[in-house]
Amino acid sequence: MRDFPKVELHLHLEGAAPPAFIRGLAREKNMDISGVFDEHGNYAFKDFWHFLKVYEAATSTLQTAEDYHRLTLAVLEESAAHGVIYTESFLSPDFCGGRDVGAWREYLHAIRDAADQAEKSHGIIMRGVVTCIRHFGPEKAKETALCAAETAGDWLTGFGIAGDETAGKPKDFAYSFDMAREAGLRLTAHAGEWGGPQSVRDALNDLGVERIGHGVRVAEDPALVEELAEKEVVLEVCPGSNVALGVYPNWRAHPIGMLFDKGVKVTVSTDDPPFFHTTMTDEYDRLSDTFDWDDGVFKTLNTIAANAAFCDEKTRANVLERLEKTDD
Ligand code: ADE
Ligand code: ZN
């Protein structure tokens, strides 16, 4: 499936950093981040909450706009090598300049510059979605939303929330989502990964998002599954991430097959690929093995993703045209 054209809607930029890249930065800056890796040099964590700590420790090596320029190039090169033609990446002003709008502009400029370079050299299109971090709390989220609102446009196109889904409630972040919406940003929220079906209801009702990051736990509530299908809510499903973090014990137990069969608009992404030992090619291979999905199904999922992308219509038409050329 490596060369199959893919649209990815859920990728955390720092979470896509290859371990060797982070080790290189740590060496350059004389930082000791040995706790981040196992004896094989892979990211090491024991559960989701430990994962968030390791993620933040690895991210502490990214300290300048130039570091993010290099990171973006490395990430997009890897995504393009797995057939990704359009990617939406979660960007965090918390890590990029400590939520200072001026500093954030510099980081964003560097990330965009790298994205332009990667589009020229590898044909991959990137758009940015700012995410606030739930366990940093609602006050910091307001500062993050201001960074997003000040830089909203044809490249920075969305706003969302990531982090510890068990911390606080979606409505605590309603002010930030209102600010982002008023700035013209499109909205998504992580929910239904560690929270049950109610967490998805809350994100939809209290934040007014049009997409849900993960959302797979709706599978526990058949009425909600039906409602999502009817309302055409798009789920950014990351099956390999869910299995790696233990939301489901194995691929067979993952509800993406059932959700697709029930008519829910599901899409496929990697979340934080090197952390979960996955790539977009691996995700497609595992889905094909587990649910017997053929190229036609994958083309359908990519068309759903392209139609749900937070980009302008010209870019969408370009992406859809490239998908249309896929043989099935
Ligand atoms: N940040 C990076 N990956 C995440 C995930 N899977 N859930 C919540 N926050 C995250
Ligand atoms: Zn995520």
Side-chain angles (χ1 to χ4, degrees), residues 19 44 70 203 232 315:
R70 288 160 66 189
E232 304 194 4
T315 305

Side-chain angles (χ1 to χ4, degrees), residues 10-12 51 90 161-163 190 193 213-214 236 238 241 270-272 276:
H10 189 121
L11 180 74
H12 299 264
F51 156 77
F90 295 136
I161 183 166
H190 280 62
E193 180 191 20
H214 298 286
E236 305 154 6
C238 310
S241 159
T270 55
D271 212 6
D272 309 282
F276 306 137

Side-chain angles (χ1 to χ4, degrees), residues 205-237:
N205 296 337
D206 297 339
L207 302 178
V209 297
E210 54 183 291
R211 293 191 336 218
I212 297 284
H214 298 286
V216 285
R217 300 276 305 278
V218 297
E220 294 157 31
D221 183 338
L224 184 56
V225 171
E226 230 172 85
E227 188 182 327
L228 292 193
E230 194 184 311
K231 292 188 172 155
E232 304 194 4
V233 174
V234 172
L235 303 186
E236 305 154 6
V237 183

